[in-house]
Amino acid sequence: MATAEDLLAALTLWAGEQHRPVPDAEQLVRISREPDNWSSGTVPDVVAVWTPTIEYLLRQVRLGVLAPVAAAQLPDSLRRPVREPQATNPAPASVVPEAALPQPDPEPEPEPAGQRTKVATRPGVDADPDNRAAVVAALIEWRGRQIADGVQGADAIKDVTLRNLVKYRQTSEEQIRMKLPGSAAGLAGDLARVFAELGVGGQPVTAPAPVHQAPQHSATPTPVVLSGTNPLPDPTPGPTVDPNRLDLTHNDFVAYDFSPAEVSPGGIGITAAPDGVALSWDPWPIAPGQTVIYRVVSGDDSPPYKPEAGDLVTVTTARGCTDGRFLVSAVRAYQVWVHVGPDVAAARMTQPVMWAQGSEISPVDNMTLTEDEGRVIGQWSVFPGTKAVRVYRIPLEGGGTPGDDPQYQIAVGDANLTGFVDADVPRGRRYLYRALAEVEVNGSRRLSRRTQQEILVSVRLTPVADLAITISDADAQFDLKWSTPDTGIVHIYRFNKQPTAGLEREDLDAAALELQGFSEATRIKQPISALDETTSQMLGVPWPQGWDRAYLTPVTVSGGRVRIGTTRVQARPLPPVQAPRLIERFHTELITFGWPSGAASVFAYIGYGNATVEQNTSGAPFAEVSFSAHQRDGALTFPRPLPATGCTIYLVPVAYSAGHEIRGDVTTLEYPGLARLDYTFVAINARPGQLLVRLYLKAESDIDDPPAFVLVHNPDRLPLDAADGRNLSFLNQGFSVPHCQLDRIGRGVNTTDWTVDLTGVEGFLRLFVSDNRRTRRIALLDPKMDLLWLPPAQQGY
């Protein structure tokens, strides 16, 4: 369970990375201690504008996400406030003051009175017509204003409904009205005008039946409004009006008084419709001269406890209707209430009787299937409350309609709420994957309608990785053997130089082989025979005259596809690498050298002390570069920094023959080491009008004898070296000196006693090592540019 300290850590990390006004340290502490009601009452404006971001961080940490991960993976839409605050608060001490930062975008002009549905665009907003997220954010912003103004029905419009209106391009007034619940339907015209002002409209996209949208597990994005051209075609006409529908609302009926009614309930049918679900029910046993009104209501997640507590689907005299609204929960409960009287007016005033009820289970949404190296990965989303998803893998062979046969069910022991991984699927066949959501209704499990997709799983060609070479005593010929693959046949190709590396990583078209030199001229024509049930062999292959080495590559071939196996080489001893040179950057070291002829790879080892060369070059290498990688990059790049205290580097060329490793002569290089330092300056309290900063150093390793440092100022450009500008004095215990010196720099962050008075300084600053004439060198990493540049009229740092 997340603690207040965990919440505060995430908030502090987020605030420290912002270049805009953010809540101060005291406000962040209060939020972390009251995560459930921090926004109740009056909060400072600088806090209010970051509400979506703060709520997202609190929710992520409380769900178990580590604070650094939650802060680092903040969605881009939440990295800006919903608007600029009316009055900025002082930045926390760890944050660069606002005066030293880029200024925020200008506020949009206020909206004219009486035009609250007008949505203004902001400068610099991406106007890409396909930016659905930005359109949804603008709609959420519009809905928030309606709720704030007390507009009836606005609070009934859920985020998922707005997302689906955009996703399925339901943007005309008639289309929107069919998707909004109850009193919210009266806002269809206003919402259609918002779509028009955003330049969004168009031909509706046919959604799966029933139309639904799974929940989005992320915070509400920062409202962003699109401008520009219409991204969709012209809208289509709205639906046909139902002549049996009565234009009535809950307010037109007598209030339900919970009177008992002895009625045997009628049956109800719920089936898929092109644009939602179709409801039908048994007729009420009507007496002559009576009028029956069917009042259909719904409730998401649970049934309404009275008719007026539910969303009104329709009021009709017919025995059926269509609910075109998007599903917004795991289950939608439907109820049919009956009002009976001599006429419609009298029927409305009679107590309703529950006649029929049923429910619709939301299917999985956004189903996608992908294949990764023979594994089929399914992904989808479901609403909260879904207990599990049943998954079926049905082979599409022999025709017929595949059913939900238990023998095809997979991932039985998993909930599968976000998808599945089918690692055991046989390859080379087409399958239909079917998903059915399980939801508990009235104590029993109910299944949704099917959501399904088909996929062809690629054929798996097994590369030959164990080709073995046996050379005769006279080296005049050799024998080959290998494990027989399950699929395809094997061709062996022979080269006098290494074939192109990297081709063995995936299956290829057979036609692509010849372009890489795998032709009839390089294929060995010797007959292949079976050594036993699992092993093939090729005997008496002649050794080409004049070749110093031979590269033998097995290729598995089947159905026009090929898979290149592991190349084996029979080679003579290798020469050493040529003219090695160590090139060092702050966090990267690499070695350039001339490639040793015949080598497959070059290994790099590091050694210390009095160990022998053989001892230092045994075991796994510190780094490795292949021939193809060296041709591409021109160097061996170390995967991590070399030891900061120095070491000896050993370069060993390597080739392979008959399953054995062949090593060439060893070349050594001495590396003196490098101490790496990050530095930064942080403003500290000083007298008014004074800009005083403290030096912080962060070391990757202990430095027992650090050099002196100088701070150079250049008004026109970033200083290039210690002599490119004037030296600024350091302050320590009341003394002013031209450089600072520490007795020792420990690993990690070092808070020094050295400060610098930057009052009135304009231009660029940079820290340099004053004396680096020592065995172990020092490298400094500059901080962000906004800490190295002081603009005119600087008010803070």
Side-chain angles (χ1 to χ4, degrees):
M1 181 176 180
T3 64
E5 288 73 21
D6 297 328
L7 301 176
L8 180 60
L11 295 172
T12 303
L13 289 170
W14 158 72
E17 292 296 325
Q18 290 300 315
H19 294 293
R20 292 176 176 274
V22 294
D24 60 27
E26 182 179 353
Q27 293 165 338
L28 297 180
V29 171
R30 184 182 69 82
I31 294 171
S32 66
R33 291 178 179 176
E34 302 175 350
D36 293 321
N37 56 4
W38 67 270
S39 58
S40 61
T42 304
V43 297
D45 197 61
V46 74
V47 178
V49 300
W50 289 104
T51 295
T53 303
I54 294 172
E55 290 286 6
Y56 175 88
L57 290 171
L58 295 177
R59 181 167 58 254
Q60 291 294 298
V61 175
R62 296 174 83 177
L63 287 173
V65 179
L66 297 177
V69 177
Q73 297 184 355
L74 191 68
D76 291 340
S77 60
L78 298 179
R79 296 184 183 275
R80 295 168 59 95
V82 295
R83 55 175 172 78
E84 297 303 327
Q86 297 174 0
T88 58
N89 287 0
S94 62
V95 181
V96 179
E98 183 182 358
L101 300 173
Q103 295 304 305
D105 296 337
E107 283 281 350
E109 295 183 2
E111 299 175 348
Q115 297 185 10
R116 297 307 299 264
T117 59
K118 179 70 174 178
V119 184
T121 59
R122 291 181 180 171
V125 173
D126 182 9
D128 181 1
D130 294 326
N131 193 344
R132 292 180 178 175
V135 177
V136 173
L139 298 178
I140 293 174
E141 183 181 28
W142 167 85
R143 182 198 58 190
R145 292 201 305 272
Q146 307 308 302
I147 295 174
D149 290 345
V151 177
Q152 183 179 5
D155 57 349
I157 305 176
K158 297 188 177 182
D159 288 2
V160 64
T161 299
L162 297 176
R163 291 190 181 96
N164 277 331
L165 289 175
V166 176
K167 178 179 179 180
Y168 298 117
R169 305 179 190 175
Q170 306 287 304
T171 58
S172 70
E173 181 175 353
E174 294 80 4
Q175 293 166 345
I176 295 171
R177 180 174 292 108
M178 294 293 294
K179 303 301 180 185
L180 298 183
S183 59
L187 296 175
D190 290 344
L191 192 50
R193 284 190 289 275
V194 174
F195 273 115
E197 291 168 2
L198 292 173
V200 178
Q203 195 76 15
V205 175
T206 302
V211 179
H212 65 283
Q213 170 64 46
Q216 306 296 316
H217 303 291
S218 62
T220 302
T222 303
V224 178
V225 181
L226 292 183
S227 62
T229 58
N230 187 340
L232 303 172
D234 293 333
T236 57
T240 303
V241 177
D242 180 5
N244 297 301
R245 183 178 181 275
L246 303 179
D247 190 15
L248 299 175
T249 69
H250 284 315
N251 295 331
D252 296 314
F253 292 89
V254 65
Y256 182 55
D257 63 3
F258 298 95
S259 299
E262 306 227 349
V263 174
S264 297
I268 188 171
I270 304 175
T271 59
D275 193 22
V277 293
L279 307 176
S280 61
W281 50 86
D282 293 339
W284 175 268
I286 187 172
Q290 296 292 308
T291 298
V292 177
I293 299 176
Y294 297 103
R295 184 178 172 193
V296 184
V297 299
S298 70
D300 290 318
D301 288 324
S302 60
Y305 65 93
K306 60 180 180 178
E308 50 266 44
D311 293 326
L312 186 62
V313 179
T314 190
V315 178
T316 182
T317 59
R319 293 190 294 108
C321 68
T322 298
D323 182 10
R325 296 171 299 153
F326 300 115
L327 292 172
V328 295
S329 60
V331 58
R332 173 170 290 171
Y334 290 99
Q335 296 175 346
V336 180
W337 294 77
V338 169
H339 296 259
V340 181
D343 52 33
V344 171
R348 290 190 294 111
M349 294 298 105
T350 62
Q351 277 295 307
V353 176
M354 170 79 77
W355 173 235
Q357 60 180 332
S359 57
E360 171 69 6
I361 309 302
S362 294
V364 304
D365 194 23
N366 300 320
M367 181 178 184
T368 61
L369 294 179
T370 56
E371 181 190 348
D372 183 8
E373 294 297 325
R375 303 190 312 164
V376 175
I377 301 172
Q379 295 176 291
W380 50 62
S381 53
V382 296
F383 287 103
T386 304
K387 299 300 183 181
V389 176
R390 294 187 188 179
V391 185
Y392 296 85
R393 182 222 298 152
I394 303 169
L396 296 178
E397 298 176 341
T401 303
D404 300 332
D405 193 320
Q407 68 173 315
Y408 298 136
Q409 188 174 357
I410 62 173
V412 176
D414 300 325
N416 307 314
L417 293 179
T418 59
F420 67 93
V421 176
D422 188 1
D424 301 322
V425 53
R427 305 189 65 160
R429 303 170 67 183
R430 184 175 295 276
Y431 297 93
L432 179 73
Y433 283 87
R434 176 175 293 162
L436 296 88
E438 291 187 24
V439 177
E440 190 168 308
V441 180
N442 297 327
S444 62
R445 291 289 180 98
R446 290 275 308 279
L447 293 177
S448 71
R449 291 186 173 83
R450 302 164 176 169
T451 302
Q452 57 194 27
Q453 287 186 23
E454 63 180 78
I455 187 172
L456 174 62
V457 183
S458 61
V459 175
R460 179 177 183 178
L461 292 178
T462 304
V464 174
D466 61 349
L467 181 66
I469 308 173
T470 302
I471 306 297
S472 67
D473 293 338
D475 288 343
Q477 61 184 22
F478 49 84
D479 300 334
L480 305 174
K481 67 178 181 179
W482 62 90
S483 296
T484 306
D486 295 333
T487 305
I489 60 175
V490 175
H491 292 168
I492 306 294
Y493 293 84
R494 177 179 53 196
F495 306 94
N496 62 359
K497 62 180 180 179
Q498 188 175 18
T500 303
L503 297 175
E504 68 280 2
R505 297 172 184 168
E506 59 184 8
D507 293 354
L508 302 172
D509 287 331
L513 273 184
E514 190 164 356
L515 298 176
Q516 304 297 333
F518 292 81
S519 63
E520 285 299 303
T522 56
R523 185 167 71 89
I524 302 176
K525 306 297 194 303
Q526 297 289 115
I528 297 174
S529 60
L531 180 62
D532 51 43
E533 292 183 355
T534 61
T535 308
S536 299
Q537 65 180 358
M538 182 182 288
L539 304 176
V541 179
W543 183 265
Q545 187 175 2
W547 284 24
D548 292 330
R549 69 184 61 225
Y551 295 88
L552 302 171
T553 304
V555 177
T556 307
V557 181
S558 176
R561 301 286 289 175
V562 299
R563 183 66 181 266
I564 298 177
T566 303
T567 297
R568 300 298 182 188
V569 58
Q570 181 70 28
R572 294 179 179 177
L574 302 172
V577 300
Q578 302 172 16
R581 177 189 173 202
L582 177 63
I583 300 175
E584 187 170 24
R585 303 187 178 101
F586 188 84
H587 273 116
T588 303
E589 293 100 358
L590 54 89
I591 296 180
T592 63
F593 53 84
W595 189 262
S597 177
S601 298
V602 170
F603 291 167
Y605 296 86
I606 60 173
Y608 311 91
N610 298 322
T612 65
V613 173
E614 290 75 15
Q615 291 171 333
N616 281 326
T617 57
S618 62
F622 185 79
E624 177 185 359
V625 62
S626 66
F627 174 73
S628 60
H630 186 272
Q631 280 192 318
R632 181 191 64 210
D633 301 333
L636 180 152
T637 301
F638 291 100
R640 56 188 183 276
L642 292 169
T645 55
C647 63
T648 300
I649 302 172
Y650 301 88
L651 299 177
V652 183
V654 177
Y656 301 92
S657 177
H660 299 286
E661 186 179 86
I662 299 175
R663 294 193 168 202
D665 294 336
V666 179
T667 303
T668 60
L669 292 174
E670 295 298 327
Y671 173 62
L674 180 68
R676 298 174 178 87
L677 285 173
D678 296 55
Y679 73 91
T680 189
F681 293 98
V682 176
I684 60 177
N685 295 329
R687 64 177 182 272
Q690 184 185 23
L691 178 58
L692 190 65
V693 298
R694 183 182 302 279
L695 173 64
Y696 286 78
L697 295 171
K698 181 180 179 182
E700 293 186 358
S701 59
D702 294 337
I703 304 175
D704 294 325
D705 184 23
F709 300 96
V710 294
L711 184 61
V712 180
H713 167 244
N714 191 315
D716 301 318
R717 67 172 184 276
L718 191 69
L720 302 179
D721 54 48
D724 189 20
R726 69 184 180 94
N727 286 10
L728 298 180
S729 297
F730 283 90
L731 303 176
N732 191 335
Q733 299 180 355
F735 294 97
S736 175
V737 295
H739 62 269
C740 68
Q741 178 79 50
L742 284 77
D743 295 334
R744 184 179 182 276
I745 299 176
R747 180 180 180 182
V749 177
N750 295 257
T751 305
T752 75
D753 295 328
W754 296 96
T755 61
V756 181
D757 189 346
L758 299 178
T759 305
V761 177
E762 299 177 3
F764 297 87
L765 305 173
R766 202 174 189 186
L767 191 70
F768 291 94
V769 174
S770 175
D771 177 18
N772 202 13
R773 293 173 297 175
R774 57 193 69 238
T775 302
R776 189 179 179 193
R777 299 164 300 158
I778 304 292
L780 282 175
L781 179 64
D782 294 325
K784 295 179 180 179
M785 183 58 69
D786 55 6
L787 292 179
L788 299 179
W789 176 65
L790 295 173
Q794 179 73 19
Q795 299 299 321
Y797 195 82

